[in-house]
Structure formats: structure tokens, C-alpha cells
Amino acid sequence: MKRPLGTTTALAALLAAGLTPLVLAGPASAAPSGLQGDFNGDGYRDVAISASDTTVNGKTYAGQVAVVYGSASGLNPTTRTVISQNTAGIPDTAEKGDQFGEQLATADLNRDGYSDLVVGARHEDAGSKKDSGTVVIVWGSKSGLSGGTTVKNPAPQYGSYFGMSVAAADFTGDGKPDLAISAQSSSGSPTDRIRLVRGPFTKSGSTGAVTSYSPGVDRPSLTAGRVDKNAKADLVVTGLQPDGDRLAAAVYYKGTSSGLSKGAKLRAGTTAAIGDLDKDGYGDIVIGNPLDDDVDPSGSRGGEISVIYGTSSGPSADRRTTLTQNSSGVPDSSEHIDQFGAAVAVGDLDKDGYADLAVGAPGESFGDDTHYISSAGTITLLRGSSSGVARTGAVLLTQDSPGVPGDLEALDAFGATLLASDVDGDGHADLTAIAAQENEAGAAWHLPGAKDALYSTTGSQSFGPTGVGLSTNQHGAFGSDLAG
């Protein structure tokens, strides 16, 4: 029997019945904090959770986003905003198959001090152009997120999937955050595209110029961060090779005053995170490749992560390391379909000035032939140090770990999605983690950071879709993306 997750309320019952979502405002604040992910400006970072397969007003797979506001005690699922395309002020209307909220990003796009939420819906139709895709900015304010503006699709067409992935950062260094948005190529083009939409952004829909790039990566997933220490954010693109073999790929783009400049190929992978693991001022790139080497020869049995350390010119050409669960200091061992590296997140969990690394392995199984628990999932926490990722002090988390709510059960896929951000304002990054199939619906965990153990055995909590006013009918998509 599963332990209860969150609180089922009358609101949850209404939403499960398909009625229009109610928006619960976050707490008001006197002045905006300017923190990334702080949608209501109260000094605590908030977390947006994708629920893109949710039924809205009878429309299956229409999609929603649940935003849980941070507080001194961590994430508080009772203080939340639930957003769909039927929410007042949000452009368009919830329709079958839109999957609104499948991709998420945050930045203060109109520079008013409140972080804004960027929402992708790649299956949105544009007239007769099915799956053309759309991206919507939901604006932050002292009362939380409210109102939205569509980012114009520069080339709407059938199956363009605009909003396949989104990343928000100041790539040009002009003080105006930009949006990088991936989309599928037009017919006959060899690879998918990235559209760089330059700021500033306004609520009336105006933006700066739009530039298109061809990354040489199919299904590009975008991760922004500062690698070379200057004022311009850089971009890591992960995904698949365009040769039809469906092998992993990754490439780096350097931010410049005129836009993005394509740089070196990186160790192949499908997930990425950027942070300063060795405290030298340069952002280090972590690439996750959960594919077994019998599926992708560039991978490793059970999955792997690669760390490429930052320099003044971008990713180092020679200071790179690849880790598996068989590597010295990494807990557990590499086994078929562990999916180590399916999710990666970087943040200073122990507040020592070095960013730490969290790695999800949602396919990790336990036991033996007499008692086998398949795909329960794990999260590995690796310390940052002056030499980079440390080979000592690692922590392996499961739902049986002290202070982690829940039970170790088959198919939960704990660690499927990860986000490191300080939601309680104590200077420690906290981990938001997703078990994609918990209770067959998915659930979120708030795991606070701690000085010595990388996570606190007190203060953790978990909540499922009903805890944030959503139906349990999530098809595994609850938490498929996180932003904050």
C-alpha cells in the first residue's frame, strides 16, 4: 500500500471532473526580490511543475502547469497557482492534445523584478497547421503568476513543434533576457532548428529580433547557463543525432553580443545542467546519457554522466571526466536499464560555495529473483570540490532513505526529473525530485539541502497531483519538466 501523497480537496474533485481550473494566488509581497524563479517576489524561489497530459474541461491531454510557491518551510502545495489555456488571461483555449506545459523555463522577461514563466505547447495547432506549436509567457507579479502573452512563432507550419524545448537567459549580454526555442525543421531541412528570440519582451507581444540556428541535433533540448564567466549566457543542446540511428548527441553554443555562436561538440547525451562545481568562477557542463551501450555505443551500461569543466573560452577540451555507477566513489553499480543520467541538476546543496550534482537513475531496480523491485529509481548526490566532482561523500537516495517520504516500490521511477533551487531561502539549494509513476500518477518530492549530508532528513515532503488540485490521470507526465 502506498503512503498518501498530499491532500485531496474539494478543488481536486472539481478538477478531476474536468471543470475549469481554479487559480489560487500566492502570498503578496512588498517589493520584488529579483530572484530567478520567484514569481511573486517574496524572496523565495517557486517551482513550476508540468502536468501536460491533464484533462481540462473534458479535453484530454490539454495540459496544465501547477506552480507551488516557496516559503521558509519549503514548498507549500496548498499555496499554488494552477494554469491552463482556460485560465483567465492566458491566450488561446484548452484543446485536446495541446499538452500545454510540456516544456517550462523562467526569467524576468519584462524586467519588472518578478520572474516570469515560459510555457511550451508544441502540439498546439495554428489554424489548419496541426502541431505547429506555441510558446506562452505567464507574467509574474506581487500576487503570483497571472495573465499571459504568446511569443510569435516565426515560421508556423504543419508539424513544426515550436516550443519543443525552451530556455531563458541573457544570451547577448545586453541586460535583456532572451528566449531560445527549439522547433522541427521544415520539409527537406537536415536537422531541427533553434530560434533565438531576443528581448525585451512586453505584455503586448513585442520582442526583439529572431535568429534561426541549425544545431545538427534532432529533438533538441535546451539548457542555459554561464560557462565562460562573462555576462553572456551560453547554451547546451542535447538530443539525438540526425542520421536516423537515434543515437545521443550534444553541442555547445557560446553567447555573443550578436547572438549564439556554435562551438564544440560535447560528449553525447540527452540531458544537461550547468553550474560551478569547482568554485573557479566558470560554469561546468554536466551531460547525462541514460542509454545503455548496446543501444548507443557512445553510452555506458546502465547510463553515464560526463562533466566538462568551464574555462574562459568555454568548455575545456581536455579537462573532462565520465562517471558511471561503477566509477570510484559513486554509490551502487552499473546495471542494464538503470538509466543513470536520465536527469541531472546542479546546485550548492551543502552551502560550502561549491555546486553539487544530483543524478537521477529512474530505472534502478533492487532485490533478487525472490524479491525483485523493478525500476524503483534512485538519486545520487555528488559533492563539488576544488578539483571538481568529488570521489568521496556521495549519497544514494531512495524512497527507503531516512527522511525521504514513501516506500521502495516497483515502477515508481524515482529521480525521473530533478531541479536544484533554494526554495526556503536558507542559502542551501533544495532538490525537487519527481517519481514519474508514483501511485501510477507521478509525485513530487521536496528534499532540503543540508550542511554535511547534502540533504536534510527533516523537512522533506512529497505530494501527488491531487495535492496541487489536479486529477490523478496524468499518464506519467506529472513533473516531466520542472522550472524555478
Side-chain angles (χ1 to χ4, degrees):
M1 177 69 71
K2 297 268 189 184
R3 297 178 186 176
L5 293 168
T7 303
T8 303
T9 62
L11 171 62
L14 289 172
L15 290 163
L19 300 181
T20 302
L22 174 66
V23 176
L24 303 178
S29 59
S33 70
L35 289 173
Q36 180 178 340
D38 184 3
F39 302 122
N40 59 1
D42 65 353
Y44 299 102
R45 293 178 66 174
D46 312 309
V47 175
I49 304 172
S50 171
S52 58
D53 283 2
T54 304
T55 297
V56 179
N57 202 28
K59 306 297 183 181
T60 56
Y61 300 96
Q64 292 176 310
V65 180
V67 178
V68 181
Y69 292 94
S71 70
S73 58
L75 292 181
N76 181 5
T78 63
T79 307
R80 63 185 184 253
T81 300
V82 177
I83 301 165
S84 78
Q85 288 177 297
N86 278 1
T87 300
I90 303 301
D92 217 307
T93 303
E95 298 162 315
K96 181 179 179 179
D98 281 351
Q99 293 188 295
F100 178 81
E102 187 179 33
Q103 292 292 313
L104 304 170
T106 64
D108 182 7
L109 294 170
N110 61 351
R111 298 179 295 165
D112 64 353
Y114 300 98
S115 196
D116 308 306
L117 178 65
V118 184
V119 182
R122 62 174 172 151
H123 293 289
E124 178 74 33
D125 298 340
S128 62
K129 299 180 177 69
K130 185 174 176 60
D131 295 325
S132 177
T134 192
V135 172
V136 173
I137 301 169
V138 185
W139 303 103
S141 72
K142 67 180 180 180
S143 58
L145 290 165
S146 64
T149 302
T150 299
V151 178
K152 183 179 179 181
N153 184 342
Q157 57 184 314
Y158 177 87
S160 61
Y161 298 116
F162 183 69
M164 183 186 303
S165 183
V166 291
D170 183 6
F171 297 107
T172 60
D174 62 359
K176 304 167 188 175
D178 314 301
L179 283 180
I181 303 170
S182 61
Q184 186 163 295
S185 299
S186 59
S187 177
S189 184
T191 61
D192 292 345
R193 310 292 290 178
I194 298 171
R195 314 285 187 185
L196 178 63
V197 185
R198 296 184 61 165
F201 294 81
T202 69
K203 292 184 179 182
S204 65
S206 66
T207 71
V210 180
T211 309
S212 183
Y213 303 87
S214 178
V217 177
D218 276 356
R219 302 182 188 177
S221 179
L222 310 178
T223 302
R226 287 188 170 87
V227 176
D228 54 10
K229 207 192 301 191
N230 64 26
K232 305 172 184 68
D234 307 304
L235 186 71
V236 172
V237 183
T238 53
L240 301 175
Q241 296 179 20
D243 55 13
D245 290 334
R246 319 320 290 162
L247 307 180
V251 67
Y252 166 78
Y253 275 85
K254 180 181 178 66
T256 74
S257 57
S258 59
L260 296 171
S261 175
K262 192 173 183 179
K265 287 185 178 180
L266 304 173
R267 178 79 175 179
T270 58
T271 61
I274 301 173
D276 188 1
L277 297 164
D278 55 6
K279 204 166 65 171
D280 64 355
Y282 300 106
D284 307 310
I285 301 170
V286 180
I287 302 287
N289 186 355
L291 302 177
D292 278 290
D293 53 2
D294 60 351
V295 176
D296 182 352
S298 66
S300 299
R301 180 178 177 85
E304 67 177 35
I305 60 167
S306 297
V307 182
I308 304 101
Y309 292 93
T311 72
S312 59
S313 58
S316 173
D318 50 20
R319 191 176 171 222
R320 301 182 175 199
T321 186
T322 296
L323 299 174
T324 72
Q325 288 176 296
N326 283 342
S327 299
S328 172
V330 178
D332 210 62
S333 58
S334 298
E335 298 154 323
H336 186 53
I337 319 180
D338 281 348
Q339 296 182 301
F340 183 73
V344 291
V346 175
D348 187 1
L349 300 169
D350 56 6
K351 200 179 176 181
D352 64 353
Y354 298 96
D356 307 301
L357 172 59
V359 185
E364 182 73 46
S365 301
F366 298 88
D368 52 32
D369 291 340
T370 60
H371 185 61
Y372 188 68
I373 304 174
S374 174
S375 299
T378 64
I379 299 169
T380 300
L381 305 180
L382 300 168
R383 291 183 182 276
S385 73
S386 58
S387 58
V389 177
R391 297 303 184 96
T392 60
V395 176
L396 184 71
L397 295 179
T398 73
Q399 288 188 63
D400 270 357
S401 296
V404 177
D407 297 301
L408 192 67
E409 296 173 307
L411 305 180
D412 278 352
F414 183 62
T417 317
L418 300 172
L419 173 69
S421 62
D422 182 9
V423 300
D424 56 12
D426 65 356
H428 294 270
D430 310 302
L431 200 62
T432 303
I434 298 295
Q437 294 294 336
E438 178 77 24
N439 290 336
E440 299 181 356
W445 272 254
H446 166 64
L447 303 171
K451 181 177 181 181
D452 296 319
L454 294 179
Y455 86 104
S456 174
T457 57
T458 61
S460 298
Q461 61 175 311
S462 63
F463 52 89
T466 58
V468 289
L470 300 177
S471 162
T472 58
N473 191 21
Q474 297 292 321
H475 309 287
F478 181 76
S480 59
D481 199 17
L482 300 169

